[in-house]
Amino acid sequence: QVQLQESGPGLVKPSQTLSLTCTVSGGSITANSYYWSWIRQPPGKGLEWIGYIAYSGSTYYSPSLKSRTSISRDTSRTQFTLQLSSVTPEDTAVYYCARVWIPVVTFDYWGQGTQVTVSS
């Protein structure tokens, strides 16, 4: 059974960089057929896809967030990390990591989510 767990600070100050880690257990982040994604949900709004890192290590980001986003990985720890720079209160959201099964383009496993608030 694959499990994903987000971790990181719950409070970030404006203009700083938000950094979250997703730890994966029960699976390899280098296995074929999977992308490893970050998604967020601002209060009162729908889900917003942020980006992913593929099994190969290549990355792809939402065009609206691309200039501020970086996703990396540590294969030895089966972790992947989100960094979002120059945050504003509009980046306040519940942040999720999730696995995408490429053949059917489905988010098949999700973390429980972590609340991040951007405030001074």
mmCIF file of all heavy atoms in Angstrom, residues 49-102:
data_model
loop_
_atom_site.group_PDB
_atom_site.id
_atom_site.type_symbol
_atom_site.label_atom_id
_atom_site.label_comp_id
_atom_site.label_asym_id
_atom_site.label_seq_id
_atom_site.Cartn_x
_atom_site.Cartn_y
_atom_site.Cartn_z
ATOM 1 N N TRP A 49 -3.744 22.465 -9.431
ATOM 2 C CA TRP A 49 -2.550 21.672 -9.667
ATOM 3 C C TRP A 49 -1.342 22.601 -9.745
ATOM 4 O O TRP A 49 -1.355 23.625 -10.429
ATOM 5 C CB TRP A 49 -2.705 20.870 -10.949
ATOM 6 C CG TRP A 49 -1.498 20.106 -11.337
ATOM 7 C CD1 TRP A 49 -1.003 18.982 -10.740
ATOM 8 C CD2 TRP A 49 -0.608 20.413 -12.408
ATOM 9 N NE1 TRP A 49 0.142 18.580 -11.386
ATOM 10 C CE2 TRP A 49 0.406 19.439 -12.412
ATOM 11 C CE3 TRP A 49 -0.560 21.419 -13.366
ATOM 12 C CZ2 TRP A 49 1.447 19.430 -13.330
ATOM 13 C CZ3 TRP A 49 0.470 21.414 -14.298
ATOM 14 C CH2 TRP A 49 1.455 20.433 -14.271
ATOM 15 N N ILE A 50 -0.264 22.234 -9.043
ATOM 16 C CA ILE A 50 0.940 23.064 -8.979
ATOM 17 C C ILE A 50 2.016 22.551 -9.937
ATOM 18 O O ILE A 50 2.650 23.327 -10.662
ATOM 19 C CB ILE A 50 1.498 23.096 -7.553
ATOM 20 C CG1 ILE A 50 0.464 23.686 -6.592
ATOM 21 C CG2 ILE A 50 2.808 23.892 -7.503
ATOM 22 C CD1 ILE A 50 0.838 23.527 -5.119
ATOM 23 N N GLY A 51 2.246 21.246 -9.941
ATOM 24 C CA GLY A 51 3.271 20.680 -10.801
ATOM 25 C C GLY A 51 3.578 19.253 -10.419
ATOM 26 O O GLY A 51 2.996 18.709 -9.477
ATOM 27 N N TYR A 52 4.498 18.653 -11.181
ATOM 28 C CA TYR A 52 4.900 17.286 -10.854
ATOM 29 C C TYR A 52 6.364 17.048 -11.188
ATOM 30 O O TYR A 52 6.983 17.796 -11.944
ATOM 31 C CB TYR A 52 4.008 16.267 -11.566
ATOM 32 C CG TYR A 52 4.173 16.171 -13.079
ATOM 33 C CD1 TYR A 52 5.318 15.628 -13.663
ATOM 34 C CD2 TYR A 52 3.149 16.591 -13.927
ATOM 35 C CE1 TYR A 52 5.455 15.537 -15.036
ATOM 36 C CE2 TYR A 52 3.275 16.500 -15.306
ATOM 37 C CZ TYR A 52 4.422 15.972 -15.852
ATOM 38 O OH TYR A 52 4.548 15.880 -17.224
ATOM 39 N N ILE A 53 6.892 15.998 -10.590
ATOM 40 C CA ILE A 53 8.200 15.472 -10.961
ATOM 41 C C ILE A 53 7.974 14.035 -11.414
ATOM 42 O O ILE A 53 7.300 13.254 -10.736
ATOM 43 C CB ILE A 53 9.230 15.586 -9.823
ATOM 44 C CG1 ILE A 53 10.619 15.152 -10.304
ATOM 45 C CG2 ILE A 53 8.798 14.816 -8.586
ATOM 46 C CD1 ILE A 53 11.745 15.587 -9.369
ATOM 47 N N ALA A 54 8.514 13.712 -12.565
ATOM 48 C CA ALA A 54 8.291 12.385 -13.132
ATOM 49 C C ALA A 54 9.283 11.368 -12.573
ATOM 50 O O ALA A 54 10.259 11.724 -11.905
ATOM 51 C CB ALA A 54 8.428 12.456 -14.653
ATOM 52 N N TYR A 55 9.019 10.095 -12.874
ATOM 53 C CA TYR A 55 9.928 9.025 -12.436
ATOM 54 C C TYR A 55 11.338 9.246 -12.980
ATOM 55 O O TYR A 55 12.327 8.820 -12.374
ATOM 56 C CB TYR A 55 9.385 7.668 -12.883
ATOM 57 C CG TYR A 55 9.184 7.542 -14.365
ATOM 58 C CD1 TYR A 55 10.195 7.086 -15.188
ATOM 59 C CD2 TYR A 55 7.962 7.890 -14.948
ATOM 60 C CE1 TYR A 55 10.006 6.968 -16.558
ATOM 61 C CE2 TYR A 55 7.768 7.783 -16.307
ATOM 62 C CZ TYR A 55 8.790 7.332 -17.110
ATOM 63 O OH TYR A 55 8.602 7.232 -18.458
ATOM 64 N N SER A 56 11.443 9.928 -14.103
ATOM 65 C CA SER A 56 12.742 10.203 -14.721
ATOM 66 C C SER A 56 13.474 11.371 -14.070
ATOM 67 O O SER A 56 14.661 11.581 -14.300
ATOM 68 C CB SER A 56 12.540 10.522 -16.199
ATOM 69 O OG SER A 56 11.729 11.681 -16.326
ATOM 70 N N GLY A 57 12.734 12.148 -13.268
ATOM 71 C CA GLY A 57 13.305 13.343 -12.659
ATOM 72 C C GLY A 57 12.936 14.628 -13.381
ATOM 73 O O GLY A 57 13.216 15.723 -12.884
ATOM 74 N N SER A 58 12.321 14.511 -14.540
ATOM 75 C CA SER A 58 11.897 15.722 -15.245
ATOM 76 C C SER A 58 10.713 16.355 -14.529
ATOM 77 O O SER A 58 9.962 15.676 -13.822
ATOM 78 C CB SER A 58 11.521 15.394 -16.685
ATOM 79 O OG SER A 58 10.467 14.455 -16.728
ATOM 80 N N THR A 59 10.558 17.645 -14.700
ATOM 81 C CA THR A 59 9.511 18.379 -13.995
ATOM 82 C C THR A 59 8.636 19.156 -14.964
ATOM 83 O O THR A 59 9.065 19.506 -16.069
ATOM 84 C CB THR A 59 10.117 19.364 -12.986
ATOM 85 O OG1 THR A 59 11.051 20.216 -13.658
ATOM 86 C CG2 THR A 59 10.825 18.632 -11.856
ATOM 87 N N TYR A 60 7.412 19.420 -14.524
ATOM 88 C CA TYR A 60 6.499 20.259 -15.297
ATOM 89 C C TYR A 60 5.634 21.014 -14.307
ATOM 90 O O TYR A 60 5.152 20.441 -13.329
ATOM 91 C CB TYR A 60 5.622 19.410 -16.220
ATOM 92 C CG TYR A 60 4.835 20.252 -17.192
ATOM 93 C CD1 TYR A 60 5.431 20.788 -18.327
ATOM 94 C CD2 TYR A 60 3.493 20.546 -16.950
ATOM 95 C CE1 TYR A 60 4.711 21.579 -19.203
ATOM 96 C CE2 TYR A 60 2.776 21.324 -17.813
ATOM 97 C CZ TYR A 60 3.388 21.849 -18.941
ATOM 98 O OH TYR A 60 2.675 22.639 -19.816
ATOM 99 N N TYR A 61 5.459 22.324 -14.574
ATOM 100 C CA TYR A 61 4.761 23.190 -13.640
ATOM 101 C C TYR A 61 3.563 23.869 -14.290
ATOM 102 O O TYR A 61 3.543 24.121 -15.509
ATOM 103 C CB TYR A 61 5.718 24.260 -13.114
ATOM 104 C CG TYR A 61 6.991 23.713 -12.510
ATOM 105 C CD1 TYR A 61 8.243 24.115 -12.984
ATOM 106 C CD2 TYR A 61 6.951 22.801 -11.459
ATOM 107 C CE1 TYR A 61 9.406 23.614 -12.434
ATOM 108 C CE2 TYR A 61 8.116 22.293 -10.911
ATOM 109 C CZ TYR A 61 9.334 22.704 -11.399
ATOM 110 O OH TYR A 61 10.494 22.207 -10.858
ATOM 111 N N SER A 62 2.591 24.211 -13.438
ATOM 112 C CA SER A 62 1.480 25.018 -13.901
ATOM 113 C C SER A 62 2.013 26.343 -14.450
ATOM 114 O O SER A 62 2.833 26.994 -13.803
ATOM 115 C CB SER A 62 0.521 25.298 -12.749
ATOM 116 O OG SER A 62 -0.397 26.303 -13.090
ATOM 117 N N PRO A 63 1.563 26.746 -15.621
ATOM 118 C CA PRO A 63 2.068 28.007 -16.190
ATOM 119 C C PRO A 63 1.869 29.211 -15.267
ATOM 120 O O PRO A 63 2.714 30.120 -15.241
ATOM 121 C CB PRO A 63 1.253 28.152 -17.485
ATOM 122 C CG PRO A 63 0.929 26.744 -17.871
ATOM 123 C CD PRO A 63 0.703 26.026 -16.565
ATOM 124 N N SER A 64 0.784 29.202 -14.500
ATOM 125 C CA SER A 64 0.508 30.352 -13.632
ATOM 126 C C SER A 64 1.440 30.426 -12.437
ATOM 127 O O SER A 64 1.558 31.476 -11.802
ATOM 128 C CB SER A 64 -0.943 30.302 -13.160
ATOM 129 O OG SER A 64 -1.168 29.171 -12.349
ATOM 130 N N LEU A 65 2.094 29.324 -12.092
ATOM 131 C CA LEU A 65 2.977 29.290 -10.924
ATOM 132 C C LEU A 65 4.419 28.986 -11.299
ATOM 133 O O LEU A 65 5.296 28.982 -10.421
ATOM 134 C CB LEU A 65 2.478 28.230 -9.934
ATOM 135 C CG LEU A 65 1.110 28.485 -9.315
ATOM 136 C CD1 LEU A 65 0.642 27.247 -8.552
ATOM 137 C CD2 LEU A 65 1.151 29.684 -8.380
ATOM 138 N N LYS A 66 4.685 28.767 -12.565
ATOM 139 C CA LYS A 66 5.976 28.263 -13.005
ATOM 140 C C LYS A 66 7.153 29.127 -12.558
ATOM 141 O O LYS A 66 8.198 28.607 -12.154
ATOM 142 C CB LYS A 66 5.979 28.154 -14.538
ATOM 143 C CG LYS A 66 7.256 27.604 -15.130
ATOM 144 C CD LYS A 66 7.152 27.470 -16.634
ATOM 145 C CE LYS A 66 8.422 26.883 -17.223
ATOM 146 N NZ LYS A 66 8.336 26.731 -18.695
ATOM 147 N N SER A 67 6.971 30.433 -12.596
ATOM 148 C CA SER A 67 8.090 31.330 -12.283
ATOM 149 C C SER A 67 8.491 31.266 -10.809
ATOM 150 O O SER A 67 9.593 31.699 -10.443
ATOM 151 C CB SER A 67 7.729 32.770 -12.652
ATOM 152 O OG SER A 67 6.652 33.225 -11.860
ATOM 153 N N ARG A 68 7.622 30.715 -9.953
ATOM 154 C CA ARG A 68 7.909 30.693 -8.514
ATOM 155 C C ARG A 68 8.075 29.278 -7.963
ATOM 156 O O ARG A 68 8.305 29.119 -6.765
ATOM 157 C CB ARG A 68 6.773 31.381 -7.735
ATOM 158 C CG ARG A 68 6.559 32.826 -8.116
ATOM 159 C CD ARG A 68 5.659 33.525 -7.101
ATOM 160 N NE ARG A 68 4.281 33.068 -7.138
ATOM 161 C CZ ARG A 68 3.608 32.636 -6.071
ATOM 162 N NH1 ARG A 68 4.201 32.578 -4.877
ATOM 163 N NH2 ARG A 68 2.345 32.268 -6.192
ATOM 164 N N THR A 69 7.953 28.267 -8.805
ATOM 165 C CA THR A 69 7.872 26.886 -8.327
ATOM 166 C C THR A 69 9.102 26.062 -8.689
ATOM 167 O O THR A 69 9.646 26.190 -9.786
ATOM 168 C CB THR A 69 6.627 26.193 -8.926
ATOM 169 O OG1 THR A 69 5.462 26.969 -8.647
ATOM 170 C CG2 THR A 69 6.457 24.793 -8.351
ATOM 171 N N SER A 70 9.498 25.216 -7.752
ATOM 172 C CA SER A 70 10.540 24.233 -8.010
ATOM 173 C C SER A 70 10.178 22.939 -7.278
ATOM 174 O O SER A 70 9.832 22.979 -6.089
ATOM 175 C CB SER A 70 11.896 24.742 -7.528
ATOM 176 O OG SER A 70 12.892 23.756 -7.720
ATOM 177 N N ILE A 71 10.219 21.830 -7.992
ATOM 178 C CA ILE A 71 9.988 20.517 -7.385
ATOM 179 C C ILE A 71 11.233 19.673 -7.598
ATOM 180 O O ILE A 71 11.758 19.585 -8.718
ATOM 181 C CB ILE A 71 8.751 19.822 -7.991
ATOM 182 C CG1 ILE A 71 7.492 20.658 -7.737
ATOM 183 C CG2 ILE A 71 8.575 18.419 -7.396
ATOM 184 C CD1 ILE A 71 6.233 20.103 -8.399
ATOM 185 N N SER A 72 11.719 19.092 -6.518
ATOM 186 C CA SER A 72 12.917 18.261 -6.569
ATOM 187 C C SER A 72 12.658 16.963 -5.825
ATOM 188 O O SER A 72 11.591 16.786 -5.220
ATOM 189 C CB SER A 72 14.101 19.006 -5.978
ATOM 190 O OG SER A 72 13.841 19.365 -4.634
ATOM 191 N N ARG A 73 13.639 16.071 -5.840
ATOM 192 C CA ARG A 73 13.438 14.799 -5.159
ATOM 193 C C ARG A 73 14.727 14.298 -4.537
ATOM 194 O O ARG A 73 15.828 14.692 -4.929
ATOM 195 C CB ARG A 73 12.901 13.754 -6.150
ATOM 196 C CG ARG A 73 13.902 13.357 -7.233
ATOM 197 C CD ARG A 73 13.321 12.337 -8.176
ATOM 198 N NE ARG A 73 14.312 11.892 -9.160
ATOM 199 C CZ ARG A 73 14.097 10.954 -10.060
ATOM 200 N NH1 ARG A 73 12.916 10.348 -10.130
ATOM 201 N NH2 ARG A 73 15.049 10.616 -10.910
ATOM 202 N N ASP A 74 14.554 13.429 -3.545
ATOM 203 C CA ASP A 74 15.652 12.710 -2.905
ATOM 204 C C ASP A 74 15.283 11.229 -3.009
ATOM 205 O O ASP A 74 14.482 10.725 -2.229
ATOM 206 C CB ASP A 74 15.804 13.153 -1.455
ATOM 207 C CG ASP A 74 16.991 12.485 -0.765
ATOM 208 O OD1 ASP A 74 17.450 11.424 -1.235
ATOM 209 O OD2 ASP A 74 17.434 13.019 0.257
ATOM 210 N N THR A 75 15.858 10.578 -4.007
ATOM 211 C CA THR A 75 15.453 9.192 -4.248
ATOM 212 C C THR A 75 15.876 8.259 -3.128
ATOM 213 O O THR A 75 15.204 7.262 -2.862
ATOM 214 C CB THR A 75 16.027 8.694 -5.582
ATOM 215 O OG1 THR A 75 17.456 8.831 -5.566
ATOM 216 C CG2 THR A 75 15.459 9.484 -6.755
ATOM 217 N N SER A 76 16.955 8.589 -2.432
ATOM 218 C CA SER A 76 17.423 7.715 -1.344
ATOM 219 C C SER A 76 16.451 7.723 -0.168
ATOM 220 O O SER A 76 16.376 6.766 0.601
ATOM 221 C CB SER A 76 18.816 8.134 -0.883
ATOM 222 O OG SER A 76 18.785 9.421 -0.321
ATOM 223 N N ARG A 77 15.706 8.821 -0.048
ATOM 224 C CA ARG A 77 14.734 8.930 1.038
ATOM 225 C C ARG A 77 13.300 8.785 0.546
ATOM 226 O O ARG A 77 12.370 8.920 1.349
ATOM 227 C CB ARG A 77 14.877 10.275 1.742
ATOM 228 C CG ARG A 77 16.216 10.480 2.413
ATOM 229 C CD ARG A 77 16.263 11.799 3.161
ATOM 230 N NE ARG A 77 17.527 11.997 3.859
ATOM 231 C CZ ARG A 77 17.794 13.043 4.625
ATOM 232 N NH1 ARG A 77 16.893 13.982 4.802
ATOM 233 N NH2 ARG A 77 18.959 13.143 5.225
ATOM 234 N N THR A 78 13.125 8.508 -0.738
ATOM 235 C CA THR A 78 11.794 8.478 -1.372
ATOM 236 C C THR A 78 10.970 9.682 -0.950
ATOM 237 O O THR A 78 9.845 9.556 -0.426
ATOM 238 C CB THR A 78 11.027 7.163 -1.098
ATOM 239 O OG1 THR A 78 10.856 6.984 0.305
ATOM 240 C CG2 THR A 78 11.754 5.981 -1.679
ATOM 241 N N GLN A 79 11.549 10.850 -1.161
ATOM 242 C CA GLN A 79 10.880 12.107 -0.849
ATOM 243 C C GLN A 79 10.929 13.016 -2.078
ATOM 244 O O GLN A 79 11.878 12.972 -2.861
ATOM 245 C CB GLN A 79 11.560 12.835 0.311
ATOM 246 C CG GLN A 79 11.469 12.120 1.641
ATOM 247 C CD GLN A 79 12.225 12.852 2.730
ATOM 248 O OE1 GLN A 79 13.204 13.557 2.463
ATOM 249 N NE2 GLN A 79 11.783 12.685 3.969
ATOM 250 N N PHE A 80 9.917 13.848 -2.196
ATOM 251 C CA PHE A 80 9.989 14.926 -3.165
ATOM 252 C C PHE A 80 9.510 16.208 -2.491
ATOM 253 O O PHE A 80 8.706 16.175 -1.547
ATOM 254 C CB PHE A 80 9.255 14.623 -4.472
ATOM 255 C CG PHE A 80 7.782 14.357 -4.368
ATOM 256 C CD1 PHE A 80 6.864 15.309 -4.781
ATOM 257 C CD2 PHE A 80 7.290 13.143 -3.901
ATOM 258 C CE1 PHE A 80 5.506 15.082 -4.720
ATOM 259 C CE2 PHE A 80 5.933 12.886 -3.836
ATOM 260 C CZ PHE A 80 5.035 13.865 -4.245
ATOM 261 N N THR A 81 10.064 17.313 -2.949
ATOM 262 C CA THR A 81 9.924 18.578 -2.239
ATOM 263 C C THR A 81 9.378 19.665 -3.147
ATOM 264 O O THR A 81 9.757 19.753 -4.318
ATOM 265 C CB THR A 81 11.284 19.007 -1.682
ATOM 266 O OG1 THR A 81 11.738 18.003 -0.763
ATOM 267 C CG2 THR A 81 11.189 20.334 -0.951
ATOM 268 N N LEU A 82 8.510 20.482 -2.576
ATOM 269 C CA LEU A 82 7.970 21.660 -3.256
ATOM 270 C C LEU A 82 8.584 22.907 -2.656
ATOM 271 O O LEU A 82 8.623 23.050 -1.428
ATOM 272 C CB LEU A 82 6.449 21.718 -3.089
ATOM 273 C CG LEU A 82 5.773 23.028 -3.495
ATOM 274 C CD1 LEU A 82 5.817 23.199 -5.013
ATOM 275 C CD2 LEU A 82 4.336 23.078 -2.985
ATOM 276 N N GLN A 83 9.046 23.797 -3.504
ATOM 277 C CA GLN A 83 9.452 25.125 -3.059
ATOM 278 C C GLN A 83 8.680 26.155 -3.881
ATOM 279 O O GLN A 83 8.690 26.097 -5.115
ATOM 280 C CB GLN A 83 10.951 25.322 -3.215
ATOM 281 C CG GLN A 83 11.763 24.474 -2.245
ATOM 282 C CD GLN A 83 13.207 24.904 -2.181
ATOM 283 O OE1 GLN A 83 13.856 25.029 -3.214
ATOM 284 N NE2 GLN A 83 13.699 25.129 -0.972
ATOM 285 N N LEU A 84 8.012 27.051 -3.177
ATOM 286 C CA LEU A 84 7.249 28.126 -3.808
ATOM 287 C C LEU A 84 7.771 29.444 -3.248
ATOM 288 O O LEU A 84 7.658 29.700 -2.044
ATOM 289 C CB LEU A 84 5.757 27.960 -3.522
ATOM 290 C CG LEU A 84 4.808 28.953 -4.184
ATOM 291 C CD1 LEU A 84 4.810 28.750 -5.695
ATOM 292 C CD2 LEU A 84 3.397 28.785 -3.627
ATOM 293 N N SER A 85 8.358 30.244 -4.098
ATOM 294 C CA SER A 85 9.029 31.456 -3.642
ATOM 295 C C SER A 85 8.094 32.672 -3.656
ATOM 296 O O SER A 85 7.017 32.650 -4.253
ATOM 297 C CB SER A 85 10.250 31.731 -4.529
ATOM 298 O OG SER A 85 9.840 31.979 -5.867
ATOM 299 N N SER A 86 8.541 33.700 -2.986
ATOM 300 C CA SER A 86 7.847 35.001 -2.972
ATOM 301 C C SER A 86 6.363 34.858 -2.659
ATOM 302 O O SER A 86 5.498 35.368 -3.383
ATOM 303 C CB SER A 86 8.040 35.708 -4.325
ATOM 304 O OG SER A 86 9.396 35.842 -4.641
ATOM 305 N N VAL A 87 6.062 34.142 -1.606
ATOM 306 C CA VAL A 87 4.654 33.864 -1.299
ATOM 307 C C VAL A 87 3.922 35.119 -0.829
ATOM 308 O O VAL A 87 4.523 36.054 -0.284
ATOM 309 C CB VAL A 87 4.520 32.737 -0.258
ATOM 310 C CG1 VAL A 87 5.086 31.437 -0.810
ATOM 311 C CG2 VAL A 87 5.175 33.106 1.069
ATOM 312 N N THR A 88 2.622 35.103 -1.071
ATOM 313 C CA THR A 88 1.704 36.144 -0.609
ATOM 314 C C THR A 88 0.554 35.461 0.127
ATOM 315 O O THR A 88 0.425 34.232 0.079
ATOM 316 C CB THR A 88 1.150 36.957 -1.784
ATOM 317 O OG1 THR A 88 0.215 36.142 -2.520
ATOM 318 C CG2 THR A 88 2.260 37.422 -2.720
ATOM 319 N N PRO A 89 -0.310 36.227 0.786
ATOM 320 C CA PRO A 89 -1.462 35.600 1.457
ATOM 321 C C PRO A 89 -2.328 34.769 0.510
ATOM 322 O O PRO A 89 -3.014 33.844 0.958
ATOM 323 C CB PRO A 89 -2.217 36.802 2.024
ATOM 324 C CG PRO A 89 -1.135 37.801 2.298
ATOM 325 C CD PRO A 89 -0.162 37.637 1.171
ATOM 326 N N GLU A 90 -2.287 35.071 -0.793
ATOM 327 C CA GLU A 90 -3.055 34.290 -1.771
ATOM 328 C C GLU A 90 -2.525 32.864 -1.924
ATOM 329 O O GLU A 90 -3.195 32.015 -2.532
ATOM 330 C CB GLU A 90 -3.061 34.991 -3.132
ATOM 331 C CG GLU A 90 -3.967 36.212 -3.221
ATOM 332 C CD GLU A 90 -3.497 37.361 -2.328
ATOM 333 O OE1 GLU A 90 -2.270 37.627 -2.301
ATOM 334 O OE2 GLU A 90 -4.349 37.989 -1.668
ATOM 335 N N ASP A 91 -1.352 32.585 -1.397
ATOM 336 C CA ASP A 91 -0.806 31.226 -1.426
ATOM 337 C C ASP A 91 -1.250 30.401 -0.222
ATOM 338 O O ASP A 91 -0.876 29.236 -0.096
ATOM 339 C CB ASP A 91 0.717 31.275 -1.502
ATOM 340 C CG ASP A 91 1.218 31.859 -2.813
ATOM 341 O OD1 ASP A 91 0.788 31.367 -3.883
ATOM 342 O OD2 ASP A 91 2.033 32.807 -2.775
ATOM 343 N N THR A 92 -2.027 30.992 0.663
ATOM 344 C CA THR A 92 -2.591 30.243 1.786
ATOM 345 C C THR A 92 -3.518 29.158 1.261
ATOM 346 O O THR A 92 -4.425 29.435 0.465
ATOM 347 C CB THR A 92 -3.366 31.187 2.712
ATOM 348 O OG1 THR A 92 -2.440 32.098 3.323
ATOM 349 C CG2 THR A 92 -4.109 30.415 3.793
ATOM 350 N N ALA A 93 -3.280 27.929 1.692
ATOM 351 C CA ALA A 93 -4.051 26.805 1.158
ATOM 352 C C ALA A 93 -3.712 25.538 1.932
ATOM 353 O O ALA A 93 -2.747 25.499 2.696
ATOM 354 C CB ALA A 93 -3.724 26.579 -0.327
ATOM 355 N N VAL A 94 -4.509 24.513 1.691
ATOM 356 C CA VAL A 94 -4.124 23.159 2.085
ATOM 357 C C VAL A 94 -3.335 22.582 0.908
ATOM 358 O O VAL A 94 -3.822 22.600 -0.232
ATOM 359 C CB VAL A 94 -5.340 22.282 2.404
ATOM 360 C CG1 VAL A 94 -4.892 20.857 2.740
ATOM 361 C CG2 VAL A 94 -6.145 22.874 3.557
ATOM 362 N N TYR A 95 -2.141 22.122 1.183
ATOM 363 C CA TYR A 95 -1.267 21.582 0.149
ATOM 364 C C TYR A 95 -1.250 20.053 0.240
ATOM 365 O O TYR A 95 -1.069 19.494 1.327
ATOM 366 C CB TYR A 95 0.150 22.140 0.305
ATOM 367 C CG TYR A 95 0.264 23.571 -0.166
ATOM 368 C CD1 TYR A 95 -0.243 24.619 0.601
ATOM 369 C CD2 TYR A 95 0.854 23.883 -1.391
ATOM 370 C CE1 TYR A 95 -0.163 25.937 0.159
ATOM 371 C CE2 TYR A 95 0.948 25.188 -1.846
ATOM 372 C CZ TYR A 95 0.434 26.208 -1.063
ATOM 373 O OH TYR A 95 0.516 27.519 -1.507
ATOM 374 N N TYR A 96 -1.434 19.423 -0.913
ATOM 375 C CA TYR A 96 -1.449 17.972 -0.999
ATOM 376 C C TYR A 96 -0.342 17.476 -1.927
ATOM 377 O O TYR A 96 -0.043 18.109 -2.950
ATOM 378 C CB TYR A 96 -2.770 17.471 -1.595
ATOM 379 C CG TYR A 96 -4.010 17.812 -0.825
ATOM 380 C CD1 TYR A 96 -4.715 18.983 -1.089
ATOM 381 C CD2 TYR A 96 -4.500 16.955 0.162
ATOM 382 C CE1 TYR A 96 -5.877 19.294 -0.391
ATOM 383 C CE2 TYR A 96 -5.657 17.252 0.853
ATOM 384 C CZ TYR A 96 -6.329 18.423 0.567
ATOM 385 O OH TYR A 96 -7.481 18.723 1.271
ATOM 386 N N CYS A 97 0.220 16.317 -1.594
ATOM 387 C CA CYS A 97 1.018 15.598 -2.575
ATOM 388 C C CYS A 97 0.212 14.372 -3.018
ATOM 389 O O CYS A 97 -0.607 13.847 -2.251
ATOM 390 C CB CYS A 97 2.385 15.215 -2.038
ATOM 391 S SG CYS A 97 2.425 14.205 -0.537
ATOM 392 N N ALA A 98 0.454 13.968 -4.237
ATOM 393 C CA ALA A 98 -0.327 12.868 -4.799
ATOM 394 C C ALA A 98 0.461 12.167 -5.891
ATOM 395 O O ALA A 98 1.361 12.749 -6.506
ATOM 396 C CB ALA A 98 -1.650 13.392 -5.374
ATOM 397 N N ARG A 99 0.094 10.912 -6.130
ATOM 398 C CA ARG A 99 0.708 10.143 -7.202
ATOM 399 C C ARG A 99 -0.238 10.092 -8.399
ATOM 400 O O ARG A 99 -1.448 9.886 -8.234
ATOM 401 C CB ARG A 99 1.015 8.715 -6.737
ATOM 402 C CG ARG A 99 1.857 7.932 -7.725
ATOM 403 C CD ARG A 99 2.141 6.527 -7.238
ATOM 404 N NE ARG A 99 1.008 5.634 -7.466
ATOM 405 C CZ ARG A 99 1.084 4.312 -7.323
ATOM 406 N NH1 ARG A 99 2.227 3.749 -6.939
ATOM 407 N NH2 ARG A 99 0.016 3.562 -7.549
ATOM 408 N N VAL A 100 0.326 10.252 -9.562
ATOM 409 C CA VAL A 100 -0.449 10.143 -10.801
ATOM 410 C C VAL A 100 -0.046 8.859 -11.505
ATOM 411 O O VAL A 100 1.143 8.614 -11.738
ATOM 412 C CB VAL A 100 -0.183 11.337 -11.739
ATOM 413 C CG1 VAL A 100 -0.990 11.175 -13.032
ATOM 414 C CG2 VAL A 100 -0.522 12.646 -11.058
ATOM 415 N N TRP A 101 -1.047 8.048 -11.824
ATOM 416 C CA TRP A 101 -0.802 6.852 -12.617
ATOM 417 C C TRP A 101 -0.954 7.253 -14.078
ATOM 418 O O TRP A 101 -2.050 7.527 -14.542
ATOM 419 C CB TRP A 101 -1.780 5.757 -12.222
ATOM 420 C CG TRP A 101 -1.488 4.446 -12.871
ATOM 421 C CD1 TRP A 101 -0.269 3.973 -13.300
ATOM 422 C CD2 TRP A 101 -2.434 3.431 -13.179
ATOM 423 N NE1 TRP A 101 -0.398 2.726 -13.845
ATOM 424 C CE2 TRP A 101 -1.707 2.360 -13.787
ATOM 425 C CE3 TRP A 101 -3.798 3.296 -13.013
ATOM 426 C CZ2 TRP A 101 -2.323 1.194 -14.205
ATOM 427 C CZ3 TRP A 101 -4.413 2.135 -13.434
ATOM 428 C CH2 TRP A 101 -3.677 1.112 -14.034
ATOM 429 N N ILE A 102 0.170 7.303 -14.771
ATOM 430 C CA ILE A 102 0.208 7.890 -16.103
ATOM 431 C C ILE A 102 -0.739 7.230 -17.114
ATOM 432 O O ILE A 102 -1.414 7.934 -17.864
ATOM 433 C CB ILE A 102 1.660 7.898 -16.640
ATOM 434 C CG1 ILE A 102 2.561 8.718 -15.716
ATOM 435 C CG2 ILE A 102 1.710 8.429 -18.062
ATOM 436 C CD1 ILE A 102 4.031 8.585 -16.025
#
